[in-house]
Structure formats: structure tokens, C-alpha cells
Amino acid sequence: MSTKREQRTLARTLALGVLTGGRSATPLAVLALNHDRKSLSGSWQQWKLFSTPLGRGVLVASAVGELIGDKLPATPSRIGFPAILGRIASGAVAGAALGTTGRRNLVVEGAILGGVGAIVGSFVGWAARKAVGGVTHLPDPVVALAEDAATIAGAVKVVTAD
């Protein structure tokens, strides 16, 4: 039987996974930027990806690159293969990391929920972006900027929530 704290941690891993469906690198970059946050204390902080300046720098640079690359017309669809696999992997890593922050290690559960969330977020985000663009007749890069803002704000909120 899980406690409310564990349920909250698992809900956060799922939410971070959903956000990964919007921008695959952003949640990992937000985790990297909050590496030293005491409320996020967990074994993930010792993972090389997050514990080294190089690893954190690569995560942040990847997120910036994705924010730019997403606006280019040649960028493949997030729901196409193999792009969806990258989102699932990124969501799983983000969920696993967040899953280590509680009293009980929920790394496996967090990884599963993060990966599932990334699938959901990818398809919902893709459909929402098309729908908003169709209704508003705004150019796709403008709609994408709004999606960027929502994903960044959401990831910061999920990661920094106490």
C-alpha cells in the first residue's frame, strides 16, 4: 500500500513524462538546473548525467537546441518513429530520477510512468498544436512558442513542487 507522499511522487513522474512529450529535453534540463535542490534529494543526483557539470551542460544545451530545432520545417513529427522512442526514453529517465526523491525508491515505477506519460504527452501535444494552429490560423512557429512556454513552466512547477 502506498502512502500519499508516494502517490504524489508518482503523479509528478507521470506529469513530467507528459511534459517530455511536448519537449523531450526540457524536463531533463530542468532537473539538471535543480540538481542541488534539497527537496529533490535522491540517488538521481549521483547519476553521471546529473552529477557532472558536463552532463548537466549537455542536458541544458540539448533543451535549447530542441527549442530552436522544433521551429524548423524539416523537423520530423514527434509522433513518428524513431522520434517517439526518444521521447519515451527521455520521459523514462526523468520519471526514474524523480522517482528516487521519496522515502521509498520508486525508480522503476517512475520510469514506467514517465515513459507512458511521454507517449500521452506526445500525441496530445501534437493534436493540440494542430488544433490551435487550425483555429487561430497562427503560423506553426508561433504556436510552438506557446507550447515551449507551457512545457518549460510546467516542468519547473513539477520539479520544484514541495
Side-chain angles (χ1 to χ4, degrees):
M1 184 84 73
S2 63
T3 66
K4 287 189 188 249
R5 179 179 286 272
E6 290 170 348
Q7 291 171 356
R8 187 165 185 267
T9 297
L10 292 174
R12 289 172 64 200
T13 65
L14 179 63
L16 205 56
V18 169
L19 292 162
T20 301
R23 294 289 175 273
S24 61
T26 296
L28 292 173
V30 171
L31 281 166
L33 292 170
N34 285 277
H35 174 264
D36 297 326
R37 193 178 188 85
K38 290 193 188 303
S39 63
L40 290 174
S41 183
S43 65
W44 73 278
Q45 293 168 318
Q46 303 310 311
W47 300 355
K48 294 285 185 206
L49 184 63
F50 297 105
S51 68
T52 64
L54 176 62
R56 291 191 302 270
V58 166
L59 291 174
V60 172
S62 295
V64 171
E66 183 181 25
L67 293 173
I68 295 166
D70 178 65
K71 315 309 176 283
L72 303 175
T75 301
S77 172
R78 73 182 79 190
I79 59 172
F81 189 84
I84 191 79
L85 294 179
R87 291 178 188 277
I88 293 167
S90 184
V93 170
L98 204 54
T100 72
T101 61
R103 289 185 187 134
R104 185 171 151 236
N105 190 333
L106 300 169
V107 68
V108 172
E109 296 91 334
I112 292 168
L113 288 172
V116 169
I119 295 168
V120 171
S122 293
F123 282 93
V124 170
W126 175 82
R129 186 162 158 178
K130 297 298 176 200
V132 168
V135 171
T136 63
H137 304 290
L138 290 170
D140 187 64
V142 173
V143 178
L145 286 171
E147 185 180 18
D148 291 346
T151 302
I152 293 167
V156 168
K157 184 65 176 171
V158 169
V159 168
T160 61
D162 289 329

